[in-house]
């Protein structure tokens, strides 16, 4: 394999001395840190907190270039959502419905159950699972508005038993995406407001005269949205601060190079900061994939974005063997991992960090984005080391249950009294001691 950098994508080899520095540079993503954005977001949040609807209307007119006068103009009714659904071409309606059905079936399996057990002293202990009362879903506007993301965010909330789902989606210059509205109808969203940016996050977090205050905000967005979500965290829950999309493909060299090139493009076309990495121990295969990339890139509608992404953050990496590929997977902890190998099951035990694992040559990541069933909202930027895909559990919380019998209270009271006195907390101690039986 030549260790040159092709016009489009970097070629790296784990045997190079500078390999680790080069990989670190590719993995580095700055994230949300702009001071000017921070200041503007804080201003917007404070304004919405204080003035509610009026502040939301003014910010929306300014940033989305609209001229509305009331929140009623920024609310879509359930009838409008249904109309959008009914008006879709049958093919789109059926595809959306099939995807929704599979996503629902998968997430139904995630439903945890409450549990209880009894200690020998008769004390009953347990855990009660309760859905959130209200969840807010942020759907990015413009060309980044993905109907599939509406399903991926709203369906787990629904399955979790959330009572009300409030969706916000900006409509810059008044552009509405019917497929997004149709997905909201299908996923059982209760309210839709056509607002976005920090003002929408503020409206969801604090509530306004028209927008119900939610308990948790989920969904991706631009730097204003991410900065606002970070700022309101604590007041409300948030899912995560999502970074650009990523894919890592590990190939044993036997997959059609065109398939692999297109799989890499499928994430690269999202965003100029998206990341696409291929790892293989077969040098000739990497050459073939590099050739496929050059040949197929010009056929993409989003060629410019995909090319920029591959240029900035893409890599074809030659490693020595399967064990080294596994090491790289666990180090990168990719959002999406494709195991384009003959026996993917044999790899599974060794893989500790990945958002979603696509097993075998036929399982392209794109299928997971839309309709396989699992959630496509996944941990990015290495956060798969400590976090998980969006799921039913993100829309629920747990309460502990403690029900002491008189005997249990008496026995536990003795222990608690000793520990409380050790902490010099006499009210605690006496409260426990009252219940000790002679
Ligand atoms: N990870 C994922 O699954 C995923 C999916 C879809 C989109 N995304 C990301 O979401 C983002 C979408 O970005 P977008 O901008 O198209 O839509 P967006 O909805 O995130 O942001 C649009 C809003 O930003 C606000 N805004 C814009 N310019 C502003 C300014 N100068 N000052 C204050 N507020 C301003 C406006 O209120 C506008 O309504 C992209 O970064 C994309 O990569 C990620
Ligand atoms: N790959 C994106 C999340 O990483 C999700 C998506 C939506 N539409 C297409 N893809
Ligand atoms: Zn995608």
């Amino acid at each position: 394999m030549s260790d040159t950098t092709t016009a489009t994508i970097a070629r790296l080899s784990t045997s190079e001395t500078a390999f680790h520095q080069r990989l670190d540079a590719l993995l580095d993503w700055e994230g949300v840190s702009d001071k000017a954005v921070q200041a503007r977001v804080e201003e917007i949040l404070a304004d919405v907190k204080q003035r509610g609807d009026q502040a939301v209307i003014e910010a929306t007119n300014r940033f989305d270039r609209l001229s509305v006068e009331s929140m009623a103009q920024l609310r879509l009714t359930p009838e409008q959502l249904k109309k959008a659904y009914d008006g879709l071409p049958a093919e789109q309606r059926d595809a959306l419905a099939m995807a929704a059905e599979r996503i629902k079936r998968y997430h139904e399996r995630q439903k945890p159950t409450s549990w209880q057990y009894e200690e020998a002293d008769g004390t009953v202990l347990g855990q009660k699972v309760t859905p959130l009362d209200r969840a807010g879903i942020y759907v990015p506007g413009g060309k980044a508005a993905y109907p599939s993301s509406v399903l991926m965010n709203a369906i787990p909330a629904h399955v979790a038993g959330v009572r009300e789902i409030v969706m916000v989606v900006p409509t810059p210059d008044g552009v509405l995406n019917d497929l997004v509205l149709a997905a909201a109808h299908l996923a059982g969203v209760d309210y839709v407001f056509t607002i976005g940016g920090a003002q929408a996050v503020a409206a969801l977090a604090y509530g306004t005269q028209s927008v119900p205050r939610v308990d948790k905000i989920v969904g991706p967005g631009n730097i204003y949205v991410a900065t606002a979500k970070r700022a309101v965290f604590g007041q409300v829950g948030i899912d995560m601060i999502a970074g650009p999309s990523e894919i890592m493909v590990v190939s044993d060299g036997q997959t059609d190079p065109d398939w692999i090139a297109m799989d890499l493009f499928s994430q690269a076309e999202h965003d100029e900061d998206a990341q696409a990495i291929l790892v293989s121990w077969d040098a000739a295969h990497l050459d073939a994939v590099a050739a496929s990339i050059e040949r197929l890139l010009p056929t993409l509608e989003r060629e410019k974005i995909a090319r920029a992404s591959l240029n900035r953050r893409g890599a074809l990496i030659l490693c020595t063997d399967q064990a080294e590929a596994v090491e790289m997977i666990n180090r990168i902890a990719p959002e999406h991992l494709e195991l384009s190998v003959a026996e993917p099951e044999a790899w599974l035990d060794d893989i500790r960090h990945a958002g979603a694992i696509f097993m075998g040559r036929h399982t392209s990541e794109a299928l997971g984005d839309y309709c396989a069933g699992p959630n496509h909202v996944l941990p990015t930027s290495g956060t798969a080391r400590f976090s998980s895909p969006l799921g039913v559990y993100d829309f629920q919380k747990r309460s502990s249950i403690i029900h002491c019998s008189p005997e249990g209270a008496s026995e536990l009271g003795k222990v608690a009294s000793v520990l409380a006195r050790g902490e010099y907390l006499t009210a605690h101690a006496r409260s426990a001691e009252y219940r000790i039986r002679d």
Side-chain angles (χ1 to χ4, degrees):
M1 187 194 81
S2 63
D3 65 349
T4 54
T5 296
T6 68
T8 304
I9 189 163
R11 299 285 294 269
L12 272 56
S13 163
T14 54
S15 61
E16 292 169 55
T17 42
F19 172 73
H20 290 287
Q21 282 126 290
R22 291 187 72 186
L23 184 61
D24 284 346
L26 284 173
L27 296 178
D28 192 38
W29 179 67
E30 280 177 7
V32 181
S33 61
D34 189 300
K35 287 233 159 30
V37 170
Q38 191 104 21
R40 173 166 279 180
V41 164
E42 275 166 22
E43 210 176 287
I44 296 170
L45 294 178
D47 195 25
V48 172
K49 192 172 192 178
Q50 200 190 343
R51 296 194 301 132
D53 280 353
Q54 195 51 37
V56 174
I57 292 167
E58 288 170 21
T60 303
N61 285 341
R62 179 173 169 200
F63 299 122
D64 292 340
R65 299 163 298 280
L66 304 181
S67 50
V68 302
E69 286 169 0
S70 74
M71 278 303 283
Q73 293 170 272
L74 294 173
R75 161 117 199 250
L76 295 174
T77 61
E79 293 71 36
Q80 284 171 289
L81 304 187
K82 182 165 184 322
K83 197 167 159 217
Y85 180 75
D86 291 340
L88 288 182
E91 188 187 39
Q92 277 187 346
R93 215 172 41 228
D94 293 350
L96 213 50
M98 196 245 192
E101 200 42 53
R102 291 194 56 130
I103 296 165
K104 184 164 175 239
R105 211 160 42 238
Y106 179 86
H107 287 83
E108 291 278 3
R109 297 218 165 213
Q110 288 183 339
K111 265 173 112 168
T113 45
S114 300
W115 48 263
Q116 291 195 346
Y117 69 97
E118 193 173 325
E119 285 281 359
D121 59 18
T123 301
V124 175
L125 301 173
Q127 185 170 274
K128 177 181 183 297
V129 178
T130 317
L132 305 183
D133 284 344
R134 218 181 262 134
I137 297 179
Y138 190 96
V139 178
K143 57 184 187 315
Y146 299 140
S148 54
S149 297
V150 175
L151 302 182
M152 295 289 179
N153 281 281
I155 291 174
H158 225 272
V159 171
V162 171
R163 290 187 184 165
E164 268 182 349
I165 303 175
V166 184
M167 183 175 122
V168 291
V169 53
T171 55
D173 302 304
V175 177
L176 255 176
N177 180 340
D178 271 349
L179 213 46
V180 165
L181 306 191
H185 166 74
L186 199 57
V189 170
D190 298 285
Y191 293 84
V192 177
F193 293 94
T194 52
I195 58 177
Q199 59 276 17
V201 174
L204 292 172
Y206 308 134
T208 69
Q209 296 85 342
S210 307
V211 182
R213 177 183 159 176
V214 304
D215 301 298
K216 186 161 184 172
I217 302 173
V218 300
N222 65 13
I223 191 165
Y224 296 96
V225 175
T227 305
K229 275 174 73 181
R230 209 189 273 277
V232 299
F233 175 62
Q235 188 106 18
V236 288
I238 62 168
D239 51 347
M240 61 178 91
I241 304 292
S245 205
E246 302 152 8
I247 184 168
M248 177 173 183
V249 181
V250 174
S251 171
D252 59 8
Q254 300 304 306
T255 307
D256 184 332
D258 283 5
W259 289 19
I260 294 192
M262 206 50 79
D263 293 359
L264 297 173
F265 297 162
S266 76
Q267 292 312 286
E269 73 174 351
H270 272 296
D271 191 330
E272 294 182 348
D273 285 326
Q275 180 151 70
I277 290 179
L278 167 64
V279 176
S280 179
W281 48 93
D282 181 334
H285 181 60
L286 290 181
D287 288 339
V289 173
S292 293
I293 287 176
E294 299 303 336
R295 182 169 45 79
L296 293 173
L297 248 181
T299 66
L300 299 183
E301 267 183 49
R302 291 168 70 108
E303 178 195 350
K304 235 176 118 193
I305 295 177
R307 191 180 286 281
S309 147
L310 294 176
N311 242 297
R312 276 188 200 175
R313 303 194 68 215
L316 306 181
I317 302 177
L318 178 67
C319 65
T320 48
D321 53 19
Q322 184 168 327
E324 200 176 39
V326 169
E327 256 174 54
M328 211 124 41
I329 292 168
N330 288 327
R331 169 165 174 213
I332 293 174
E335 179 191 17
H336 305 100
L337 170 66
E338 275 188 17
L339 293 176
S340 206
V341 297
E343 288 181 40
E345 290 81 10
W347 289 61
L348 218 44
D349 278 353
D350 293 326
I351 294 169
R352 301 197 315 283
H353 311 303
I357 305 171
F358 296 80
M359 309 276 288
R361 313 185 201 293
H362 288 276
T363 318
S364 78
E365 188 274 328
L367 303 179
D369 274 351
Y370 295 107
C371 51
N375 210 289
H376 79 199
V377 181
L378 298 165
T380 56
S381 314
T383 59
R385 286 176 295 112
F386 54 82
S387 56
S388 313
L390 187 75
V392 169
Y393 36 76
D394 287 295
F395 296 97
Q396 294 177 325
K397 67 229 166 35
R398 293 156 289 280
S399 304
S400 306
I401 305 292
I402 307 159
H403 186 174
C404 286
S405 61
E407 297 74 28
S410 179
E411 286 312 303
L412 290 176
K414 292 174 197 162
V415 178
S417 160
V418 172
L419 295 175
R421 288 191 184 280
E423 293 181 354
Y424 306 102
L425 295 174
T426 50
H428 286 66
R430 290 171 63 190
S431 161
E433 286 158 8
Y434 279 149
R435 285 149 174 104
I436 298 176
R437 292 168 147 198
D438 297 324

